[in-house]
Amino acid sequence: MIAELGLAALWMAAALAALQLVAGAFGVRADSILVDMARPAAIVQALLVMGSFTALLYVFAVTDLSVALVASNSHSAKPFIYKVTGAWGSHEGSMLLWVTVLAMSGALVARFERRLDARSLAGTLAAQGALALGFYAFLLFSSNPFERLATPVPEGLGLNPLLQDIGLAFHPPTLYLGYVGLSVAFSFAVGALLTGRVDRAFADAMRPWVLGAWVFLTLGISAGSYWAYYELGWGGWWFWDPVENASLMPWLAATALLHSVSVLSSRGGLRTWTIMLAVTAFAMSMLGTFLVRSGILTSVHAFAVDPERGAFILVLMVLYTGAALGLFAWRASAIAEGQRFAVVSREGALVVNNVLLSAILAIVLFGTLYPVATEAFGVRVSVGPPYFNPVSAMFFLPLVLVLLVGPLLRWKRDRLDRIAKPAIAAAVVLGAALVGVAMLGGAGLLPALGIALAVALGVASWMPLKGRRLRYVELSVWGMVLAHFGLAVSLFGAAADSGFSKETLAASAIGDIMAIGPYEVELTSITPVAGPNWTATEATMLARRGGASYELHPQSRSFWQPQQQTSESALLGSWNGQLYAVIGEQADGGRWQVRLWWKPFVTLIWLGSILIALGGVLALVGRMGKRRKRDRARARTARQQAELAAL
Amino acid sequence: MKPKHQRLVLVAIALAALVGAGLLAAWGLRNQANFFYVPAQYIAEKPASDRLIRLGGMVEAGSLETLPDGVTVTFTVGDGKARVPVRYTGILPDLFVEGSGVVAEGRRQADGLFLAENLLAKHDENYMPRELEGMDAEAKADTLADTVE
């Protein structure tokens, strides 16, 4: 019964999305009564689809095995939390989650957006309706999450054990919030193209959505990277796997968009470029979903893959992106010219930032799609780190160089000699760091450059605060400083890890001692342990460092439904790095395979990305605070004028 | 400079950078064109030993052997036409079994041995690298034939 209610709610939501599309489209032409229908349609639609998603959560929570999706993705013995998160661990569930978040954000726009003029808002809501409608059609015609089995099964097939991890359980929703935030930016762009109004009001309306999306994408990507690091037992954190690239590409586009929107909002420049980026960013998130779901690319972590459904997403993507680009070609000339600015200015630096980010995006896109293209000609290739690392670094390292001085430049026009001092200081830090890394030795060219740039950026990122009274610095400036500092922290971690990590591997007997980095590790015992739906071989290791000792418990787990092995690594963190231990199979002579890594400063990679996301949050809060103050001031002026008029 | 001219200049710069990135990507990809080898190709083309490449094929039945150090294994990867000896030091991925597909990342040694630095793990019993699709039936029959003899 609950499943049927969920399905019915989905149908009604789809009908409302259609209404929203039509009403919004008419609203672009004239302020008609139809516009007043687009708003409630968006809000009620969101309530309905939330109800539908709640129904799905319910059937998963109670393990209703007459529902096909539950039967194929859950098991009664699974821990409760994973029963619930399993609701979006599958293809159908994740698509329902996607459209739920989409409808909720549409409702937020409909309820709270006040800066845009009525016609642009109508166009935005129409675009949101169109997006939602496509996904409803997808769910209802090809991926019904509530489909019943003809005969209920006694037990479910279980969830892939790799997904039974708290990090991964919340990783997809985080990414989806990012993707969907970009869909709102896309809808704003469509609305603006329809009316030709690309002004500051438009930038102010779009900016929080881009910021929010970017924060969630940042968190989602770093969570995914950390998951791969500790759960897969490979000791690596980024593989240029197509699925990783699928989330990186929208992030790159969103980062560029974030910076170009700030130019549009502060100075009224980069109008058509911003629109183009908004369309690109959403196209990249659709492409990401398509790549992950279609199985068209080889990936070690593409779950829930189905080529037929991939085709559906591809059609949606081509339809939406094609329509938006068509609209762009038709309407771009209607967008007014932006403000002029000098090459040496904040805008100039941001343009360089945008060009470099777009170049990296292009490189990742080429590398990811190249195997698909060659396969069409019958040639199978894979593209890996030997391509991505050097080629993207060629654009990423200059990007960091621009970051050293860009934030110090003033809007509109500046002189290079004004920032000469900090620029020279940055160059000195950079040079000193390079010499320092070279003296340490052992690292390759790229890690050495990375560390030097990270140190220089770490110092330079605080420069915009210099000479200002910290209490009066706006939150958005703090946000920028923190995000740029976070990038330096991440870069430092990544470069230190790739340049200086150490690894050792041996078949150890109980009592054997292995030396790695600053630790001496002793294998003390091997015991069998059991969990709710798995059994494991657990090693106990004692890691000693300067008199202190710590216990580590890596496991080799066997799940019984579905039957699968996973490695649970053990991590021991300290201020300057992490010890990473994995246990393998039993070798002959009572020995066990043990693999240890010493990874200097590796945790800084994720700490840095959290700082980056936090910077985004500060900027978001700062913007909102500023807007509230402005609105209040405006209301006060209006009141005073009214009082004057009354006199 | 008028705003219109500035826009043109910006578009020109952006285009130049994107074309540059494209050319760079094309160059990088051309060097990578033979990143992936199947055994027959590997034997015929003999990739240089300093290049990191991927070798994909079926792990031949009965070929897996663990050396006395307990962490180094040797096995043969075949595609039904040719076979390549592989050596790997490390913990085998969870679903690594004989008679199943594998993708090994590493370098060719002077004597033809493939020294794997990494075995690409599959995380699901249904996972089959796309590069190996179509190979299995033939190669599997071959590995089975070996076992029967």
Side-chain angles (χ1 to χ4, degrees), chain A residues 422-456:
Chain A
I424 290 171
V428 169
V429 175
L430 183 63
L434 254 180
V435 171
V437 178
M439 275 166 62
L440 251 138
L445 176 68
L446 279 184
L449 269 176
I451 289 182
L453 278 172
V455 171

Side-chain angles (χ1 to χ4, degrees), chain A residues 589-602:
Chain A
R591 296 179 302 167
W592 290 83
Q593 296 179 335
V594 175
R595 191 168 202 170
L596 301 171
W597 276 275
W598 165 246
K599 304 196 143 280
F601 299 106
V602 70

Side-chain angles (χ1 to χ4, degrees), chain A residues 132-214:
Chain A
L133 201 56
F135 283 96
Y136 288 128
F138 185 30
L139 281 165
L140 293 169
F141 299 127
S142 139
S143 319
N144 175 10
F146 297 106
E147 197 177 323
R148 294 269 189 194
L149 288 173
T151 43
V153 289
E155 193 46 273
L157 291 175
L159 179 70
N160 186 329
L162 284 166
L163 296 176
Q164 295 191 36
D165 177 272
I166 205 72
L168 204 65
F170 291 97
H171 163 65
T174 316
L175 276 183
Y176 283 6
L177 285 170
Y179 287 172
V180 170
L182 290 178
S183 80
V184 178
F186 172 88
S187 298
F188 276 122
V190 170
L193 276 174
L194 286 171
T195 57
R197 288 201 183 177
V198 183
D199 48 14
R200 292 197 186 166
F202 162 76
D204 286 341
M206 183 155 102
R207 197 171 186 182
W209 290 96
V210 179
L211 262 172
W214 181 79

